[in-house]
DNA sequence: TGATACTTGACTATTTTAGTCAGGTTTATA
DNA sequence: TATAAACCTGACTAAAATAGTCAAGTATCA
C-alpha cells in the first residue's frame, strides 16, 4: 500500500499555501520552488482543488491561489477526494452483494478489508489543514 | 492507496488454510479452487510464507501446507511482511536526516505520513489469523 | 505591451502489478 | 515400482497505473 505522489503533493502544497494565505495569493511557481514539485504537475493538482472549491484562483500578475475555506474546515479527506487519491482495500463493489471472486457471498476477507478501509479513512477525516500547519509551526520553535 | 493482490491473496489463502489446518495438510490446488486464485500465483506466495516460517510444507501425494505457528501468533503484519506488502507513506528514507526533496530538513508533511504509517501498521499488528477465522465462523451462524 | 501567472488537454516514459509458463523434485499409494 | 499428486524455482510478459512533460493558450497587473 502506498501513497501516490498526487496525494502527497496536494497536501504538501496546501500546507505551504496555508502558511502564507492570510496576506496575498501564493503563486504555484513559489510553491514549486519551495517544495521541489514540478510546476506543470502542480497545475494539474490545483485545477482539481479549484473544482472542488478548496482553493480559489486569482489570475494575472501577482496572482496565485488562496484557500477558499478556513484551514480548520479542510480535512485531509477532502483533499484526497479532490485529487482522486482513494483508499482501495476491498476488491469487490461495496454496494453489490456479490463477492470479489464472482460468487454470491462475500469472500473470507471482505470484512477485514472493510474494517481497514474505515480505519484509514478515519485518520483522514480527523486531520485538518489547520492541524498540519500548527504542527509545523510548533516544530519550528 | 491500494492493497495489492499479493497481500490480499496471502491473507485469503491463510484464512482458508487455517480453517482446515488441524487435520491434514491443505493443498494449494484446493485453495486455488475454493478461493479462485491462480495456482501458479499461490505457489509464489507460499514460497515466501514458508521462508518466513509462517507455514510448513509437506511434499508428495496427499501433501500440502500446514501452519507453522498457532493462528493466534500469526499477525497480519507478519503475513504482509512475508509477501512484501509494505506500507509506504513517507517518501524519504526514515533513517536519513534528509528530506524527500533533497533538502537537509524533513518536508512539511513528513510527520503526517509518519503518523499515518503508524496508524495503519497498528491495525496490522493487532489482527491475528485467529481473529479472522473466528470472525468468519461467527458470520456463518 | 510586456511579464507573470492561471488554464486546458493531450501525450509518454517508466514502473509496478498480476500474473503465466516451463521445467523441475519429492513422496504416498495402488 | 510406476504414476500421479503436490511442492519448488526462476524467468518471462502483458497490461495497468504513475508521474510526470509538453504545447498552446487566456487573463490581468504594472
Ligand atoms: S473483497 Fe469484498 S468480497 Fe472479497
Ligand atoms: S516524506 Fe520524509 S521528508 Fe518528505
Amino acid at each position: 500500500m502506498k501513497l501516490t505522489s498526487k496525494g502527497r503533493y496536494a497536501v504538501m502544497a496546501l500546507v505551504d499555501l496555508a502558511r502564507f494565505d492570510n496576506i496575498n495569493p501564493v503563486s504555484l511557481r513559489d510553491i514549486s520552488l519551495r517544495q521541489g514539485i514540478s510546476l506543470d504537475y502542480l497545475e494539474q493538482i490545483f485545477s482539481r482543488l479549484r473544482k472542488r472549491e478548496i482553493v480559489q484562483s486569482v489570475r494575472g500578475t501577482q496572482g496565485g491561489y488562496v484557500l477558499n475555506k478556513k484551514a480548520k474546515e479542510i480535512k485531509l479527506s477532502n483533499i484526497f477526494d479532490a485529487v482522486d487519491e482513494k483508499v482501495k482495500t476491498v476488491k469487490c463493489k461495496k454496494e453489490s452483494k456479490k463477492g470479489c471472486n464472482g460468487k454470491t457471498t462475500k469472500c473470507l476477507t471482505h470484512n477485514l478489508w472493510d474494517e481497514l478501509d474505515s480505519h484509514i479513512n478515519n485518520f483522514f477525516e480527523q486531520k485538518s489543514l489547520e492541524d498540519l500547519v500548527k504542527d509545523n509551526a510548533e516544530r519550528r520553535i
Side-chain angles (χ1 to χ4, degrees), chain A residues 3-138:
Chain A
L3 196 65
T4 72
S5 61
K6 216 160 214 156
R8 162 176 287 112
Y9 290 159
V11 177
M12 217 188 263
L14 281 175
V15 174
D16 184 319
L17 176 66
R19 296 194 309 167
F20 293 87
D21 184 53
N22 18 12
I23 319 169
N24 293 311
V26 179
S27 74
L28 292 190
R29 161 159 265 272
D30 285 357
I31 297 181
S32 163
L33 290 173
R34 277 196 294 263
Q35 306 304 329
I37 305 170
S38 139
L39 181 57
D40 283 317
Y41 205 21
L42 274 176
E43 271 161 1
Q44 273 184 49
I45 293 169
F46 273 76
S47 155
R48 289 166 185 253
L49 293 173
R50 190 171 57 85
K51 276 176 194 150
R52 296 302 195 90
E53 300 179 337
I54 292 173
V55 296
Q56 247 187 341
S57 68
V58 180
R59 301 190 74 155
T61 323
Q62 301 289 77
Y65 285 92
V66 188
L67 288 188
N68 197 25
K69 298 177 185 175
K70 289 183 181 164
K72 198 175 185 173
E73 283 154 20
I74 301 175
K75 305 293 182 194
L76 219 53
S77 53
N78 303 135
I79 302 172
F80 277 179
D81 222 43
V83 299
D84 221 55
E85 171 87 34
K86 289 176 199 148
V87 176
K88 279 186 188 171
T89 53
V90 299
K91 193 181 183 188
C92 62
K93 296 193 177 171
K94 267 195 180 181
E95 323 82 53
S96 162
K97 293 212 166 177
K98 281 185 187 171
C100 59
N101 39 22
K103 294 181 188 161
T104 52
T105 53
K106 295 292 185 184
C107 76
L108 290 176
T109 48
H110 175 87
N111 216 250
L112 173 69
W113 309 134
D114 203 34
E115 270 184 67
L116 175 57
D117 190 276
S118 304
H119 185 75
I120 298 178
N121 279 310
N122 275 348
F123 185 89
F124 295 154
E125 264 148 46
Q126 264 152 28
K127 287 272 174 191
S128 76
L129 197 50
E130 190 185 51
D131 297 334
L132 300 181
V133 174
K134 272 190 185 168
D135 185 58
N136 238 278
E138 280 168 26

